[in-house]
Amino acid sequence: MTDRQEQWLAAEQLALTLTEGGMQRMAARTLAVFLFTDRESVTAGEIIEQLEASAGSVSSAIKSLLTVGLIERLPAPGSRREHYQLRENAWATLFTSQNAVIQAMLQAAAAGIATTASSDPAHQRLTQMHDFYEFLLGEIPTLLDRWHQQSEPSTPRDHRRA
Amino acid sequence: MTDRQEQWLAAEQLALTLTEGGMQRMAARTLAVFLFTDRESVTAGEIIEQLEASAGSVSSAIKSLLTVGLIERLPAPGSRREHYQLRENAWATLFTSQNAVIQAMLQAAAAGIATTASSDPAHQRLTQMHDFYEFLLGEIPTLLDRWHQQSEPSTPRDHRRA
DNA sequence: CAGAGTGTTCAGTAATTTCTGAACATACGG
DNA sequence: CCGTATGTTCAGAAATTACTGAACACTCTG
């Protein structure tokens, strides 16, 4: 098997993982193309060809990736085709999108706490849950700060293991 | 509307959120019951009644929650029914289960890196992705340590906002 | 402004996931 | 032990989700 074939296998594998993590199937496969392509930017046609999918499904996948900020439309280079590429901080964005989930969990917990007496065992459980997710939510910005400091500095050091 | 009804609404809301986050529907609803019930422990029959679901689906939901360690079977208190309850650190467990996803992403990235030349733009993208998830994976244990320190100390301070 | 190349939308269909119901297993109680 | 209450499994039904294909819209080009 050629390297190229292995690459697309790895890409589909990644897409599967993303799908299990809650991402829509075609969006995940499309994202994988953006990651594994050997070009700087990609057009819808190229994605259609690579995934052997319909224009319709690719169109909506691109739309959703744009919406969540994982890819961006390139300023049209005079061509008739739209070009897209993976955004710089796509992975941090993907991670951050979990915040919405955490927020929702917090709200659900708060709603439950508001309607239970403190003697109710549920009150305790809900409070524990609430505290945990509140903690998480507070830690994430710090975490991303640390990441940006580690990856962005003007003297990019070598990350590889010894 | 009574408080009790509001509570179950909040519970179903939470279940929906969990489902969007990738959890199976009935497992999510069952987990919500464990969280919002006013009892110390719950039996399958009570869940069936609360969710108006079939014995079969509740049985498999309980099984999967047990498998991932979110609930535990209580030492039978002489009764014929099995009793279950939410485990102490359920939320941390749920959060930690994301590690598997991160691991898979790392592997996919590594597989792609291995088959691309460093001149290939994909090589760069994959390396960035790999570095990010490696960073994340390294931070999570620290994060949970901090949580346990904050929540477990013998002098449990007041978490509420001023 | 007509024609060709792209992109988008959406109704219908295909595939997948999820739930149910009933048969089967298990264990307690008398 | 037998009967009953409870739990589990699994094939099929129901519901949901995802994809396609074709009609429509837009935009550049000559």
Side-chain angles (χ1 to χ4, degrees):
Chain A
M1 181 177 317
T2 70
D3 278 2
R4 188 120 283 269
Q5 282 173 316
E6 283 180 35
Q7 276 171 237
W8 291 117
L9 268 186
E12 291 286 357
Q13 183 56 53
L14 170 67
L16 265 183
T17 301
L18 288 168
T19 300
E20 282 174 17
M23 186 178 284
Q24 297 212 336
R25 197 178 121 83
M26 194 56 89
R29 293 183 71 207
T30 301
L31 182 58
V33 171
F34 278 101
L35 183 60
F36 280 80
T37 183
D38 58 1
R39 316 195 179 191
E40 288 294 346
S41 65
V42 186
T43 68
E46 288 160 3
I47 295 170
I48 290 168
E49 189 185 358
Q50 177 59 47
L51 298 182
E52 300 180 38
S54 73
S57 56
V58 169
S59 174
S60 70
I62 288 176
K63 191 165 146 192
S64 77
L65 292 178
L66 281 172
T67 300
V68 297
L70 289 174
I71 64 175
E72 59 194 349
R73 199 186 305 256
L74 287 182
S79 156
R80 192 173 303 187
R81 301 179 169 189
E82 301 277 13
H83 283 247
Y84 304 89
Q85 71 182 7
L86 200 65
R87 287 189 65 182
E88 186 57 36
N89 51 355
W91 305 110
T93 299
L94 190 58
F95 178 66
T96 304
S97 72
Q98 288 297 312
N99 285 14
V101 176
I102 297 181
Q103 277 284 6
M105 305 272 274
L106 258 181
Q107 285 183 327
I113 291 172
T115 55
T116 44
S118 55
S119 58
D120 189 332
H123 192 86
Q124 285 227 352
R125 284 190 294 265
L126 287 163
T127 301
Q128 274 182 278
M129 170 181 169
H130 186 273
D131 287 353
F132 179 72
Y133 283 106
E134 196 175 46
F135 168 79
L136 263 195
L137 209 55
E139 289 290 324
I140 288 177
T142 316
L143 198 69
L144 289 180
D145 279 354
R146 243 175 296 151
W147 164 248
H148 286 129
Q149 273 178 22
Q150 171 169 342
S151 63
E152 270 180 10
S154 49
T155 317
R157 29 192 153 61
D158 193 331
H159 296 118
R160 279 161 292 179
R161 282 175 258 21
Chain B
M1 181 179 312
T2 70
D3 278 3
R4 187 120 283 270
Q5 281 172 316
E6 282 180 38
Q7 276 171 238
W8 290 116
L9 268 186
E12 290 287 356
Q13 184 55 53
L14 170 68
L16 265 183
T17 301
L18 288 167
T19 300
E20 281 174 17
M23 185 178 287
Q24 297 211 337
R25 196 177 122 84
M26 195 54 93
R29 294 183 71 207
T30 301
L31 183 57
V33 170
F34 278 102
L35 183 60
F36 280 79
T37 183
D38 59 0
R39 316 194 178 192
E40 288 295 345
S41 65
V42 186
T43 67
E46 287 160 3
I47 294 170
I48 290 168
E49 188 184 0
Q50 177 60 46
L51 299 182
E52 300 180 38
S54 73
S57 55
V58 169
S59 174
S60 70
I62 288 176
K63 190 165 145 191
S64 76
L65 291 178
L66 281 172
T67 301
V68 297
L70 290 176
I71 62 174
E72 61 194 348
R73 199 185 304 256
L74 287 182
S79 156
R80 192 176 299 189
R81 300 177 171 192
E82 301 276 11
H83 283 247
Y84 305 90
Q85 71 181 8
L86 201 63
R87 287 189 65 182
E88 186 57 37
N89 51 355
W91 306 108
T93 299
L94 190 56
F95 176 68
T96 303
S97 72
Q98 289 296 311
N99 284 16
V101 175
I102 296 180
Q103 277 284 6
M105 306 272 274
L106 258 181
Q107 285 183 326
I113 291 171
T115 54
T116 45
S118 53
S119 58
D120 187 333
H123 192 87
Q124 285 227 352
R125 284 189 294 263
L126 288 162
T127 301
Q128 276 182 277
M129 170 181 169
H130 186 272
D131 286 354
F132 179 72
Y133 283 107
E134 197 175 43
F135 168 79
L136 263 195
L137 209 56
E139 289 290 324
I140 288 176
T142 317
L143 198 70
L144 289 180
D145 279 354
R146 244 175 297 150
W147 164 248
H148 286 130
Q149 272 177 21
Q150 171 170 344
S151 64
E152 269 180 8
S154 47
T155 317
R157 34 194 149 62
D158 193 331
H159 295 117
R160 281 162 292 178
R161 284 176 260 19

